[in-house]
Amino acid sequence: MDKLYKVNLYGISVIKSWIGQAVCKLLFVLLFCTSFNLYAQQPITVTGTVKDSKGEPLPGVSVRIKDSQAGTTADVNGKYSIRLPNANATLVFSFIGFGSQEINVAGKTLIDVTMGDNATGLNEVVVLGFNQQQKKSSLTAAVSTVSGREILQSPTANTTNSLVGRVTGITAVQRSGAPGSDGATLNVRGQSTYNNSGAIVVVDGIERPNFGDIDPNEIENISVLKDAASTAVYGIRGANGVIVVTTKVGRIGKPKVNYTGNFSLQGYTGIPKALNAYDNTRLINEGLRNEGLAPRWTDAELQKFKDGSDPLGYPDLNWFDYVTRKRYPQTQHNVNISGGTNVIRYAVSAGYLYQGGIFEKFDSPFGINSQPDFKRYNFRSNVDINLSKSLTVSVKLGGRLEQRYQPAGLRAASGNFSYDNLEGMISRILQTPSFAYPVMLPDGRIAQNVDVGTNIWNPLAVITRWGTRNDDNNTVESTFNLNWKLDKVIKGLTFTTNFGYDSYFTSNTRRNAIWAAYTYDRQTGAVTLSSDRPRDEPLSTLISESGGTLRSNIQTGFNYQHTFGKDHNISALLLGTRQLINGEGSVQYTIPPRAAQGLVGRVTYNFREKYFFEADAGYNGSENFAKGKQYGFFPAVSAGWTISRENFLKDVKWLDFLKIRGSYGKVGNDQLDQRFLFLTNYAVTANGVQFGQVTSPTNNQIIYLPNGTGIPAVNGLGNSDITWETGIKRNIGFESEFFDHHLKFNVDFFDEKRSDILTDRRSGLLQFGHLYPSLNVGRVYNKGYEAELDYQHKVGDFTLGLNTQISFSRNRIDNADEPLGSPDYQKLQGKRIGQFFGYKTDGFFTSAEDIARSPVVTFTDRSIPGDLKYVDVNGDNQITTDDRVAIGYSRNPEYTYSFTPRLAWKNIALSVLFQGVANVSSDVFLSEQNNGQQMYEFMLDRWTPATAATATWPAIHSRSSSYPNYQLNDFVLQNASYLKIRNAELSWTLPSQWIKALKLGSVRVFTNGQNLHTWTKFKMYVDPENVNLSNTSFSKQSLYPSSRIYNFGVNIQF
Amino acid sequence: MKAYQLYTIIFTVLLSGLSSCSKDFLDRTPGAALPEDAVFADPTLASQYAINAYTYLVDDYVRFDDHRGTTSQASDEAVSGNLDRSVLYLNQGLFHDHSERVAALNDIVGIWSREYNGINITNMMLSKMAVVPWKVEDPRPAITVPERIEAEMRFLRAFFYFELVKRFGGVPIVDRVYDVNESIDIPRSSYTDCVNFILADLDKAQAKLPAVEALSLAENGRATKGAALALKARVLLYAASALNNEGNDLSKWASAAAAAKEVMDLNSYSLQPTYKDILNVPTSTEYIMMKVRPTRTNTDGKIIDFAQSPGSAGQNGQMNPTQNHVDLYEMTNGKAITDPTSGYDPQKPYANRDPRMTWNVIYNDETYQSRKIEMWSQVNANGTVTYGRDFNPNNPIYTATRYYCRKMWPEVYINKVAGATYINFLFFRYAEVLLNYAEAQNEAVGPDASVYTAINQIRKRGDVNMPDLPAGLSQSAMRDRIRNERAVELAFEDHRWYDIMRWKKGPEIVAQPIYAMNVVKNANNTFTYSKVLMSQNFQKVFRDYMHRYPIPRSEVYKSQGILLQNPGW
């Protein structure tokens, strides 16, 4: 690791001039410093106590004289004393989480202050990139925040699932509920690129891979940086937005010990309703008859399924119910201690999470635990030390150990056909039909039958006899911070350094076993060894893989803040940054460390907090681009106008605050997911051409020139012009507060033109004979809005409130290098990212004549009445793949909205978060065309001649690959919009007289829940968010449902 | 004091920054690049570059969608038992869909791309022949003999172009390496120009390629003079066939016959005495050029997931010969089963048939891998139906026709018990040359003695031992017998589909009704056989314009109107 930052001036003129500007600014500032010293008339001393809204003394509050750097901090008992230059000064009381208050001294010498709980939010301090803090009312950028307290209302294991509905501009989709890998996919303001659209995550000022597994009790707040003004400082990496997480630090005061315990029961949000054996076999017969084939089951056999008279030969078993449990536990404990003196402040925390899994407990002859689970141990120690009045040092250490367990793992050399995750196992459970075979033969041997279908293995055997997999993740994230106030050199100047050093270590360990299965012949009762599971094999030795990553990151430079002549508030930031990531990857082109460095600059100016101007810029580069083309300059400008401070609005009583702000800037996205594309890559491989004796052929080494045909990253032609994506973002926002701050309304409109998106050369002719290099030619346009309305009113002991949010974003691909001649309706261009394409349907075929006079369905000639009728889009009287058009939306919702009524009475508070999405589709689909032909309840409403008028499902077909109905079409593709009771919480803070008797600080008990109810038109029973995209060997419906959580918790402060 | 503090900080920062990195912090480029110039500055590297072209030959029978379809299933030879879309699209005449929706190597855009990739390598190598400092050692390692490399490049380029023209007709001739910024949107050459281009390469190639006798065993699989001549014979046969020879110019047939004769006259090749292991031996006098690959292991998807009966633990027994194909095998007396005097008994359909039937297909009640193959259904006394272990109509992994394909599932291969078998892909084998000769000679001059000799040689093969063709056949009767012989002898070897296309016989042969066998086991353990028309989805569409593949539609879309589509598509 190269330790400290070096200004890199390599061949760049822009930066020189830019530094020049910065230096000019500094000089300008110096000039002001020396000429405007308007000090001192009649010094007085003011004292007082700072309390919170409950009347408890609040230590650690910063007390500052407005327009100067002079100030002090309230002591352990909330008391302060400050000497003022004159009796007319204004004191500013500020404290993170409580906002700030300004009080004109007006000659008083005793001022007691009650800090509000962010009643207005305007004075709230928002954490921006690079540890910058700014008062919310003076922001010119689009930033939304969510506090740690709100996050704690959601009893979710992964913090990413707590954000949705609580903060505008975030879309979150939870694909899976598997313990330990149930985090949501987050996008900031939708997607502006069809490549990696993930926001970068910054924890305590340092970029880190994710924040989902940080104990939510450690989180102070989360800011979402959305527009160019807030993300330009991240330059080449800022275009997808930035999620800034700040962890809790200690405050001056006696040690506070805080315990939180959560005890939850999880259940699934939805599960497919499988048909029983009788209905299932009856429908199989119907499907065969529909196609003129002989039924598979006789009436006598159907009867046996119905009456259960022969449970061995004619079983009826809902496999999902059999192997899963309705309720599975989750517990969470956290103890944290915080406090501090004038010299040292500390916050230490230890947390534990246990998340149980969906499967029932079963005995295993090999000692395999059938229940997946996840355990997480979190530790954090944040210490701030004031070495002197001007020098502060902070050390933040956050560590966690995550242990994930699941039964069954990847069998060695089984290729991509694997049960390597829970989704794969669930896929098989979904397909094992209720009539397949009993769980076991009476003597306890595992039953199975190859005739049921390909790979329809006994689900019980899979979870008790196929092996184990343990995944461990070890993380240590450390942050060292130094702040040195250089007021003696230049008033308002601070030298700051932030250094992060993180270590991530992962390992997974698998053991495999195999079982013998036996086939029971329903006719003869004979038992034979199943050909696909011929023997028992106990657990193998350990198969282990491990790897890790080291990340280091340093930011160092100067911060400046000063007020000139009462009215001119200026701040500036100039930082150098450097980042090095070691250790991901194993081949030549992935193993070199990732490096990035650059400069960050920020200048803000406001006049009387009325007119705001800000310029931000990032100048940075990464190792992933050709020399000379590594660095980009990403500037943004923004401005704000607090109209309510104008004289003409002074007398409008109902208007408390009104601000308009706007920003414009350029940001980049360098997450290409491929490395060194600028290099022309060569490959030599030993697995070349084989010549010689067939019995022992010789592998002749071959050489791929870069014009070879492999993946471009391995041996493609380089493109030295490869560059990052560029986003030009615009934002305009209005913030307002009315009626004594009871009503708040904020709205933001934005758009972005993303260009230079790395795109495969789709228009290059194959005659070229090798792959064309990828080009930065893709363009996407994204626009949208966000609005938030909050109302709160206090009547006596009652507090009523309502928060409503809506976020919308819609994108359009403007260029994806498609062949010019392709028909427009099949092009990606002009459509949204991830747009589904499929057939349009027009009801069901009503009769054979109807089929005969309709266009021929070419992918089947098995059409029968009751099949979906496809629309012949291109009018050639044939239904072919050319008739596929854009249908539905994409998998990512365009609208995310929420409304949260809240109610408090004395010490009891209730809030309910309703959250929904719209304009979203899901192709998760269950049909009878699975390997085992398990069917589901909605198939009872299938089309038959008798039910033609009311049918909601097509006619049943036999299992084959020529079924006509389930090509992706607008019946299969479902509307996945939903409205959920995402979260509800009822809490009660015990009366203080009880607590005093118990000698405790405070006690709060609460009960809350997550995903309590879902309203949706989505037909597939399961949570409309869920889809299996993680194990692509299996169908999309192979999913682990999201959890519904009922939680009881207690928070005790000692 | 103030200045001192500030400068200390700045100085410290800059100093540590400067001292820590003498090289550019962002320069993380992986080392060990091998520039193009270096490759062609070293004869060994250059040769290793050149032989990479071999990997772009079409070199396996089961290639659609990885291992799920063959051209046999597109033609009348077989069906895809589980209607794999890679085959289904061809059966339905939806060649564009076959091209665009079948991910792995499909026969249209997959081949188009693969062959032009190979062509690019040969073009590059041919352009660098003069640059490489070939060593003049004695003895020179065979691999770095420039004349031979050049000949191999020309042979391979010819082969690549032939694979294209046999499918698409004339294609754009790319005869040099184009720069990334150059336009390569060039028009299609005529079929004749393409053939002439191919022949020019082949003539140069055959002159410099080693004779098969000169090829050391370690070089088995590389191009020889015989292979170049065999390719030339095939190219000329295709050029003389109805699809490409509208006026039936007899001189084209004559040159095709002459080219085949040239291979025969080398006297390097002869028929292997056994037909039953024609694809399964390490070497054979019959093999003119083969793809060298090790044995197929007992996890090879091309067998367990394609050809093997689920009754023998296969996963998808989807390579199912049709009754139409089985009916082509003559009786051992040399008569077609349609001949009333042939002695064919529909209830003993597999008795006294051309032995090649047994070596090519697996039928009911045949003893295979030490057990009886059971593809029957039986209605029990109580009305329930049971099925033999190799057949289950309710599960598409079992045969759809009551046949499995032995050529693709050799007897030694028993899933998960015993593995490892060869299924050699043969680019050329001698029997094909004889058949090519007979066909061309019969068209050029009629059924002369040499035609009989060529065909009867094949029929007389040791374990086939079929009677000679009857003397005195008319030209057209002889044509039919040659075509039948070809269908039987080269069954499932990736010939039939293209033969049908060049004969322009798609509507007659492919679009005919496709039949399967129905086998019912009787109470007394005998079988009742009946030929049944297969269900609609196994029937095939073939229209006149399908004798040539469509140019990949995506390529036509990319072209600025220069690359023209074949008529009808």
Side-chain angles (χ1 to χ4, degrees), chain A residues 761-776:
Chain A
R761 183 83 187 273
R762 293 191 182 89
S763 66
L765 284 159
L766 290 172
Q767 280 145 247
F768 188 50
H770 42 94
L771 283 176
Y772 278 97
S774 298
L775 301 175
N776 295 99

Side-chain angles (χ1 to χ4, degrees), chain A residues 2 4 451 488 588 623 682 689-690 692-695 702 709 762 764 766-767 769 821 858 862 881-882 961, chain B residues 2 16 20 31 34 36 56 82-83 92 97 101 117 184 217 220 282 294 398 422 537 553 555 557-558:
Chain A
D2 306 272
L4 283 173
D451 282 349
K488 287 179 179 165
Q588 191 189 357
E623 90 298 342
Y682 300 79
V689 194
Q690 293 185 325
Q693 287 175 275
V694 186
T695 45
I702 55 177
T709 52
R762 293 191 182 89
L766 290 172
Q767 280 145 247
T858 55
R862 240 185 238 208
T881 47
D882 292 344
S961 51
Chain B
K2 288 175 185 176
S16 51
S20 65
L34 183 63
E36 189 175 299
Y56 294 91
N82 62 0
L83 294 167
Q92 293 170 334
D97 283 359
R101 321 285 170 208
N117 285 336
I184 199 166
L217 191 53
N220 182 29
Y398 290 91
Y422 303 110
N537 28 298
R553 193 162 54 179
E555 296 305 291
Y557 288 154
K558 291 174 196 171

Side-chain angles (χ1 to χ4, degrees), chain B residues 139-204:
Chain B
R140 212 156 30 175
I143 190 173
T144 58
V145 179
E147 296 76 21
R148 180 165 167 201
I149 286 176
E150 179 175 351
E152 282 184 294
M153 291 300 102
R154 290 194 183 278
F155 167 78
L156 290 170
R157 186 164 72 174
F159 211 161
F160 297 141
Y161 272 110
F162 174 67
E163 294 287 7
L164 290 172
V165 298
K166 115 175 162 183
R167 291 170 170 86
F168 302 100
V171 295
I173 293 182
V174 179
D175 58 358
R176 66 176 177 89
V177 174
Y178 281 73
D179 182 78
V180 68
N181 291 317
E182 255 180 299
S183 168
I184 199 166
D185 192 4
I186 48 183
R188 297 171 64 181
S189 298
S190 70
Y191 186 89
T192 313
D193 288 348
C194 289
V195 167
N196 290 339
F197 183 82
I198 292 169
L199 292 177
D201 266 348
L202 283 179
D203 283 340
K204 285 184 191 148

Side-chain angles (χ1 to χ4, degrees), chain A residues 561-572:
Chain A
Q561 190 160 15
H562 198 63
T563 302
F564 298 97
K566 279 194 170 179
D567 297 330
H568 305 278
N569 301 300
I570 285 181
S571 78

Side-chain angles (χ1 to χ4, degrees), chain A residues 793-810:
Chain A
H793 200 82
K794 202 166 177 180
V795 186
D797 285 337
F798 279 101
T799 309
L800 296 166
L802 174 70
N803 182 282
T804 308
Q805 302 185 352
I806 184 162
S807 306
F808 168 77
S809 72
R810 173 174 290 168

Side-chain angles (χ1 to χ4, degrees), chain A residues 318-349:
Chain A
N318 185 323
W319 283 96
F320 219 114
D321 281 356
Y322 180 72
V323 299
T324 61
R325 47 183 175 167
K326 291 268 177 302
R327 296 273 174 266
Y328 27 110
Q330 175 180 306
T331 52
Q332 212 168 355
H333 300 277
N334 175 274
V335 179
N336 60 65
I337 305 168
S338 66
T341 65
N342 285 326
V343 176
I344 185 162
R345 280 154 287 141
Y346 55 89
V348 296
S349 160

Side-chain angles (χ1 to χ4, degrees), chain A residues 56-335:
Chain A
E56 300 287 319
L58 204 55
V61 174
S62 145
V63 185
R64 197 165 54 83
I65 304 165
K66 197 179 176 193
D67 305 332
S68 99
Q69 294 299 311
T72 182
T73 313
D75 71 5
V76 181
N77 298 314
K79 293 205 160 37
Y80 72 93
S81 167
I82 187 166
R83 191 174 159 78
L84 303 183
N86 65 62
N88 223 357
T90 299
L91 284 179
V92 182
F93 297 82
S94 64
F95 198 33
I96 286 185
F98 288 84
S100 66
Q101 277 192 48
E102 294 184 9
I103 294 174
N104 195 309
V105 175
K108 285 174 284 193
T109 53
L110 178 68
I111 299 176
D112 291 340
V113 177
T114 302
M115 300 292 284
D117 282 356
N118 264 338
T120 81
L122 283 176
N123 292 319
E124 187 185 332
V125 172
V126 176
V127 182
L128 304 171
F130 298 103
N131 286 338
Q132 295 295 294
Q133 299 186 353
Q134 197 168 345
K135 219 161 69 174
K136 194 162 188 175
S137 62
S138 66
L139 276 180
T140 53
V143 178
S144 49
T145 57
V146 56
S147 71
R149 257 180 311 168
E150 286 178 86
I151 291 168
L152 284 175
Q153 290 189 335
S154 293
T156 53
N158 193 298
T159 309
T160 52
N161 288 317
S162 311
L163 294 187
V164 63
R166 298 195 192 280
V167 57
T168 57
I170 284 262
T171 51
V173 188
Q174 188 183 2
R175 301 294 186 206
S176 168
S181 51
D182 59 346
T185 310
L186 298 179
N187 275 309
V188 173
R189 289 188 161 172
Q191 290 172 291
S192 295
T193 171
Y194 43 78
N195 291 339
N196 192 336
S197 63
I200 60 169
V201 171
V202 169
V203 181
D204 291 327
I206 304 289
E207 189 184 335
R208 290 182 160 135
N210 65 67
F211 67 96
D213 280 307
I214 294 177
D215 187 329
N217 290 289
E218 297 171 3
I219 294 176
E220 177 73 40
N221 65 49
I222 295 178
S223 311
V224 182
L225 315 186
K226 300 188 282 199
D227 68 343
S230 55
T231 65
V233 286
Y234 288 96
I236 200 170
R237 295 178 64 69
N240 289 340
V242 182
I243 297 174
V244 177
V245 178
T246 308
T247 60
K248 284 179 180 158
V249 294
R251 288 169 184 158
I252 293 174
K254 285 183 210 148
K256 264 194 217 162
V257 181
N258 207 336
Y259 164 79
T260 311
N262 282 297
F263 308 89
S264 324
L265 281 176
Q266 306 175 77
Y268 31 77
T269 45
I271 217 140
K273 293 177 186 165
L275 279 186
N276 61 43
Y278 169 67
D279 283 331
N280 206 139
T281 45
R282 189 167 61 91
L283 289 193
I284 287 175
N285 277 359
E286 181 179 312
L288 289 162
R289 273 196 215 98
N290 281 345
E291 295 183 359
L293 301 172
R296 175 166 162 198
W297 309 95
T298 64
D299 288 347
E301 287 181 305
L302 292 181
Q303 183 57 35
K304 284 187 197 167
F305 281 123
K306 195 173 190 177
D307 60 26
S309 56
D310 180 5
L312 274 185
Y314 299 88
D316 182 5
L317 186 65
N318 185 323
W319 283 96
F320 219 114
D321 281 356
Y322 180 72
V323 299
T324 61
R325 47 183 175 167
K326 291 268 177 302
R327 296 273 174 266
Y328 27 110
Q330 175 180 306
T331 52
Q332 212 168 355
H333 300 277
N334 175 274
V335 179

